[in-house]
Amino acid sequence: MPDSPFGHPPGVAVGALFPDRVALSVAGVHRPRRAGICGRAREGAESVIVNCAFVDDQDQGETLLYTGSGARHPRTGRQIGDQTLTRSNLALAESARRRLAVRVSRGVGRGVWRPPAQGYRYDGLYTVEDYVADTGEDGYRIWRFRLAAVPGEWFGAE
DNA sequence: TCCATGCGCGGCC
DNA sequence: GGCCGCGCAGTGG
């Protein structure tokens, strides 16, 4: 499958726990050490981290509103400028266009749906339903992506 | 408080 | 395609 979408990482069960981002990376769940979105503009997004580090995030488990990357103060978590539809944000947009599954891992954070006790948990596959430019809580433009769990392929599935 | 490190991407040949 | 250098990033010691 030359143009295969990104699916479950080999040998990793949905619900698997990892102590930190390095462990997630080594397991092939989410490769970047720091970035929350892994993906390429032309191929779509491979995986994302959900920990509600962005003020405009909303995590409801089966569906979630995921704020794009960029223009965020690294310490306060507040937005400090307008986000652009480039780089990893474009990757998520491409995933939406091609209906590709994206791997979701949840970390600890206020507002995270059923967060792990510590570290990170691989929560399975989601699709990017749509996305829109919006004005976030801090008054800057954000790109907001709506993710929906793939039935039977995510942590909350029966 | 500081800063490493991995990855995407563009430039260049 | 391959190499290289730049800039960014939902960490974490």
Side-chain angles (χ1 to χ4, degrees):
Chain A
M1 14 184 191
D3 199 28
S4 158
F6 308 106
H8 292 293
V12 176
V14 172
L17 296 169
F18 301 86
D20 52 35
R21 288 287 299 270
V22 173
L24 269 183
S25 182
V26 169
V29 178
H30 183 81
R31 296 183 291 110
R33 188 173 183 270
R34 300 171 56 184
I37 303 170
C38 180
R40 300 171 204 170
R42 289 162 196 78
E43 300 178 20
E46 176 178 337
S47 55
V48 300
I49 297 291
V50 176
N51 59 9
C52 293
F54 284 60
V55 291
D56 299 301
D57 283 352
Q58 284 181 245
D59 185 5
Q60 296 167 353
E62 194 165 4
T63 63
L64 63 102
L65 296 179
Y66 193 83
T67 308
S69 179
R72 171 184 176 272
H73 191 285
R75 307 219 30 114
T76 67
R78 314 298 300 202
Q79 292 304 122
I80 55 176
D82 291 334
Q83 292 185 346
T84 59
L85 192 59
T86 59
R87 299 169 175 268
S88 54
N89 294 342
L90 250 190
L92 281 172
E94 180 68 5
S95 287
R97 192 182 72 80
R98 289 164 61 177
R99 316 296 305 168
L100 302 179
V102 177
R103 299 201 283 262
V104 168
S105 296
R106 281 188 171 83
V108 180
R110 189 171 180 82
V112 177
W113 175 84
R114 289 171 67 176
Q118 73 277 325
Y120 297 86
R121 182 187 62 225
Y122 174 56
D123 276 5
L125 302 178
Y126 285 64
T127 52
V128 185
E129 296 298 303
D130 50 46
Y131 60 96
V132 65
D134 202 354
T135 300
E137 189 178 313
D138 291 323
Y140 296 100
R141 184 181 64 183
I142 61 167
W143 287 92
R144 175 171 276 152
F145 299 87
R146 190 166 63 92
L147 274 62
V150 177
E153 302 294 331
W154 70 295
F155 184 65
E158 307 289 311

